[in-house]
mmCIF file with all atom_site columns, all heavy atoms in Angstrom:
data_model
loop_
_atom_site.group_PDB
_atom_site.id
_atom_site.type_symbol
_atom_site.label_atom_id
_atom_site.label_alt_id
_atom_site.label_comp_id
_atom_site.label_asym_id
_atom_site.label_entity_id
_atom_site.label_seq_id
_atom_site.pdbx_PDB_ins_code
_atom_site.Cartn_x
_atom_site.Cartn_y
_atom_site.Cartn_z
_atom_site.occupancy
_atom_site.B_iso_or_equiv
_atom_site.pdbx_formal_charge
_atom_site.auth_seq_id
_atom_site.auth_comp_id
_atom_site.auth_asym_id
_atom_site.auth_atom_id
_atom_site.pdbx_PDB_model_num
ATOM 1  N N     . PRO B 1 2  ? 19.326 136.407 47.529 1.00 42.00 ? 1182 PRO B N     1
ATOM 2  C CA    . PRO B 1 2  ? 18.900 137.486 48.420 1.00 42.00 ? 1182 PRO B CA    1
ATOM 3  C C     . PRO B 1 2  ? 17.429 137.295 48.756 1.00 42.00 ? 1182 PRO B C     1
ATOM 4  O O     . PRO B 1 2  ? 16.584 137.254 47.864 1.00 42.00 ? 1182 PRO B O     1
ATOM 5  C CB    . PRO B 1 2  ? 19.104 138.756 47.575 1.00 42.00 ? 1182 PRO B CB    1
ATOM 6  C CG    . PRO B 1 2  ? 19.218 138.278 46.161 1.00 42.00 ? 1182 PRO B CG    1
ATOM 7  C CD    . PRO B 1 2  ? 19.658 136.848 46.194 1.00 42.00 ? 1182 PRO B CD    1
ATOM 8  N N     . SER B 1 41 ? 31.294 139.898 46.257 1.00 95.00 ? 1221 SER B N     1
ATOM 9  C CA    . SER B 1 41 ? 31.337 138.665 47.042 1.00 95.00 ? 1221 SER B CA    1
ATOM 10 C C     . SER B 1 41 ? 30.086 137.828 46.829 1.00 95.00 ? 1221 SER B C     1
ATOM 11 O O     . SER B 1 41 ? 30.156 136.606 46.757 1.00 95.00 ? 1221 SER B O     1
ATOM 12 C CB    . SER B 1 41 ? 31.492 138.989 48.514 1.00 95.00 ? 1221 SER B CB    1
ATOM 13 O OG    . SER B 1 41 ? 32.695 139.686 48.734 1.00 95.00 ? 1221 SER B OG    1
ATOM 14 N N     . TYR B 1 46 ? 27.346 132.972 44.170 1.00 97.00 ? 1226 TYR B N     1
ATOM 15 C CA    . TYR B 1 46 ? 26.472 132.269 43.210 1.00 97.00 ? 1226 TYR B CA    1
ATOM 16 C C     . TYR B 1 46 ? 27.236 131.734 42.008 1.00 97.00 ? 1226 TYR B C     1
ATOM 17 O O     . TYR B 1 46 ? 26.801 130.782 41.371 1.00 97.00 ? 1226 TYR B O     1
ATOM 18 C CB    . TYR B 1 46 ? 25.360 133.208 42.730 1.00 97.00 ? 1226 TYR B CB    1
ATOM 19 C CG    . TYR B 1 46 ? 24.450 133.653 43.834 1.00 97.00 ? 1226 TYR B CG    1
ATOM 20 C CD1   . TYR B 1 46 ? 24.411 134.971 44.253 1.00 97.00 ? 1226 TYR B CD1   1
ATOM 21 C CD2   . TYR B 1 46 ? 23.640 132.719 44.494 1.00 97.00 ? 1226 TYR B CD2   1
ATOM 22 C CE1   . TYR B 1 46 ? 23.584 135.362 45.280 1.00 97.00 ? 1226 TYR B CE1   1
ATOM 23 C CE2   . TYR B 1 46 ? 22.810 133.111 45.534 1.00 97.00 ? 1226 TYR B CE2   1
ATOM 24 C CZ    . TYR B 1 46 ? 22.785 134.426 45.923 1.00 97.00 ? 1226 TYR B CZ    1
ATOM 25 O OH    . TYR B 1 46 ? 21.975 134.810 46.945 1.00 97.00 ? 1226 TYR B OH    1
ATOM 26 P P     . DT  D 2 2  ? 22.575 137.526 49.010 1.00 75.73 ? 907  DT  D P     1
ATOM 27 O OP1   . DT  D 2 2  ? 21.197 138.022 48.810 1.00 75.73 ? 907  DT  D OP1   1
ATOM 28 O OP2   . DT  D 2 2  ? 23.314 136.916 47.916 1.00 75.73 ? 907  DT  D OP2   1
ATOM 29 O "O5'" . DT  D 2 2  ? 23.419 138.733 49.603 1.00 75.73 ? 907  DT  D "O5'" 1
ATOM 30 C "C5'" . DT  D 2 2  ? 22.922 139.427 50.753 1.00 75.73 ? 907  DT  D "C5'" 1
ATOM 31 C "C4'" . DT  D 2 2  ? 24.046 140.175 51.423 1.00 75.73 ? 907  DT  D "C4'" 1
ATOM 32 O "O4'" . DT  D 2 2  ? 24.957 139.235 52.044 1.00 75.73 ? 907  DT  D "O4'" 1
ATOM 33 C "C3'" . DT  D 2 2  ? 24.901 140.998 50.465 1.00 75.73 ? 907  DT  D "C3'" 1
ATOM 34 O "O3'" . DT  D 2 2  ? 24.592 142.373 50.618 1.00 75.73 ? 907  DT  D "O3'" 1
ATOM 35 C "C2'" . DT  D 2 2  ? 26.350 140.673 50.863 1.00 75.73 ? 907  DT  D "C2'" 1
ATOM 36 C "C1'" . DT  D 2 2  ? 26.191 139.898 52.151 1.00 75.73 ? 907  DT  D "C1'" 1
ATOM 37 N N1    . DT  D 2 2  ? 27.258 138.879 52.379 1.00 75.73 ? 907  DT  D N1    1
ATOM 38 C C2    . DT  D 2 2  ? 28.073 139.011 53.468 1.00 75.73 ? 907  DT  D C2    1
ATOM 39 O O2    . DT  D 2 2  ? 27.971 139.908 54.262 1.00 75.73 ? 907  DT  D O2    1
ATOM 40 N N3    . DT  D 2 2  ? 29.023 138.023 53.583 1.00 75.73 ? 907  DT  D N3    1
ATOM 41 C C4    . DT  D 2 2  ? 29.233 136.947 52.735 1.00 75.73 ? 907  DT  D C4    1
ATOM 42 O O4    . DT  D 2 2  ? 30.135 136.142 52.955 1.00 75.73 ? 907  DT  D O4    1
ATOM 43 C C5    . DT  D 2 2  ? 28.347 136.882 51.615 1.00 75.73 ? 907  DT  D C5    1
ATOM 44 C C7    . DT  D 2 2  ? 28.477 135.761 50.626 1.00 75.73 ? 907  DT  D C7    1
ATOM 45 C C6    . DT  D 2 2  ? 27.405 137.830 51.479 1.00 75.73 ? 907  DT  D C6    1
ATOM 46 P P     . DC  D 2 3  ? 25.433 143.437 49.809 1.00 75.73 ? 908  DC  D P     1
ATOM 47 O OP1   . DC  D 2 3  ? 24.516 144.555 49.538 1.00 75.73 ? 908  DC  D OP1   1
ATOM 48 O OP2   . DC  D 2 3  ? 26.116 142.762 48.693 1.00 75.73 ? 908  DC  D OP2   1
ATOM 49 O "O5'" . DC  D 2 3  ? 26.529 143.931 50.854 1.00 75.73 ? 908  DC  D "O5'" 1
ATOM 50 C "C5'" . DC  D 2 3  ? 26.140 144.370 52.148 1.00 75.73 ? 908  DC  D "C5'" 1
ATOM 51 C "C4'" . DC  D 2 3  ? 27.388 144.633 52.987 1.00 75.73 ? 908  DC  D "C4'" 1
ATOM 52 O "O4'" . DC  D 2 3  ? 27.996 143.358 53.299 1.00 75.73 ? 908  DC  D "O4'" 1
ATOM 53 C "C3'" . DC  D 2 3  ? 28.442 145.446 52.251 1.00 75.73 ? 908  DC  D "C3'" 1
ATOM 54 O "O3'" . DC  D 2 3  ? 28.550 146.756 52.804 1.00 75.73 ? 908  DC  D "O3'" 1
ATOM 55 C "C2'" . DC  D 2 3  ? 29.754 144.677 52.439 1.00 75.73 ? 908  DC  D "C2'" 1
ATOM 56 C "C1'" . DC  D 2 3  ? 29.399 143.480 53.275 1.00 75.73 ? 908  DC  D "C1'" 1
ATOM 57 N N1    . DC  D 2 3  ? 29.953 142.234 52.662 1.00 75.73 ? 908  DC  D N1    1
ATOM 58 C C2    . DC  D 2 3  ? 30.985 141.536 53.308 1.00 75.73 ? 908  DC  D C2    1
ATOM 59 O O2    . DC  D 2 3  ? 31.427 141.989 54.375 1.00 75.73 ? 908  DC  D O2    1
ATOM 60 N N3    . DC  D 2 3  ? 31.481 140.410 52.749 1.00 75.73 ? 908  DC  D N3    1
ATOM 61 C C4    . DC  D 2 3  ? 30.966 139.955 51.603 1.00 75.73 ? 908  DC  D C4    1
ATOM 62 N N4    . DC  D 2 3  ? 31.471 138.831 51.086 1.00 75.73 ? 908  DC  D N4    1
ATOM 63 C C5    . DC  D 2 3  ? 29.919 140.648 50.924 1.00 75.73 ? 908  DC  D C5    1
ATOM 64 C C6    . DC  D 2 3  ? 29.444 141.776 51.474 1.00 75.73 ? 908  DC  D C6    1
ATOM 65 P P     . DT  D 2 4  ? 29.587 147.760 52.091 1.00 75.73 ? 909  DT  D P     1
ATOM 66 O OP1   . DT  D 2 4  ? 29.132 149.128 52.370 1.00 75.73 ? 909  DT  D OP1   1
ATOM 67 O OP2   . DT  D 2 4  ? 29.809 147.329 50.698 1.00 75.73 ? 909  DT  D OP2   1
ATOM 68 O "O5'" . DT  D 2 4  ? 30.941 147.488 52.877 1.00 75.73 ? 909  DT  D "O5'" 1
ATOM 69 C "C5'" . DT  D 2 4  ? 30.987 147.558 54.307 1.00 75.73 ? 909  DT  D "C5'" 1
ATOM 70 C "C4'" . DT  D 2 4  ? 32.423 147.405 54.770 1.00 75.73 ? 909  DT  D "C4'" 1
ATOM 71 O "O4'" . DT  D 2 4  ? 32.855 146.039 54.505 1.00 75.73 ? 909  DT  D "O4'" 1
ATOM 72 C "C3'" . DT  D 2 4  ? 33.424 148.312 54.042 1.00 75.73 ? 909  DT  D "C3'" 1
ATOM 73 O "O3'" . DT  D 2 4  ? 34.394 148.773 54.983 1.00 75.73 ? 909  DT  D "O3'" 1
ATOM 74 C "C2'" . DT  D 2 4  ? 34.051 147.401 52.991 1.00 75.73 ? 909  DT  D "C2'" 1
ATOM 75 C "C1'" . DT  D 2 4  ? 34.005 146.039 53.681 1.00 75.73 ? 909  DT  D "C1'" 1
ATOM 76 N N1    . DT  D 2 4  ? 33.862 144.896 52.742 1.00 75.73 ? 909  DT  D N1    1
ATOM 77 C C2    . DT  D 2 4  ? 34.654 143.779 52.920 1.00 75.73 ? 909  DT  D C2    1
ATOM 78 O O2    . DT  D 2 4  ? 35.495 143.679 53.796 1.00 75.73 ? 909  DT  D O2    1
ATOM 79 N N3    . DT  D 2 4  ? 34.440 142.766 52.016 1.00 75.73 ? 909  DT  D N3    1
ATOM 80 C C4    . DT  D 2 4  ? 33.516 142.753 50.970 1.00 75.73 ? 909  DT  D C4    1
ATOM 81 O O4    . DT  D 2 4  ? 33.426 141.790 50.246 1.00 75.73 ? 909  DT  D O4    1
ATOM 82 C C5    . DT  D 2 4  ? 32.720 143.954 50.846 1.00 75.73 ? 909  DT  D C5    1
ATOM 83 C C7    . DT  D 2 4  ? 31.714 144.056 49.762 1.00 75.73 ? 909  DT  D C7    1
ATOM 84 C C6    . DT  D 2 4  ? 32.919 144.949 51.720 1.00 75.73 ? 909  DT  D C6    1
#
Side-chain angles (χ1 to χ4, degrees):
Chain B
S1221 299
Y1226 297 113

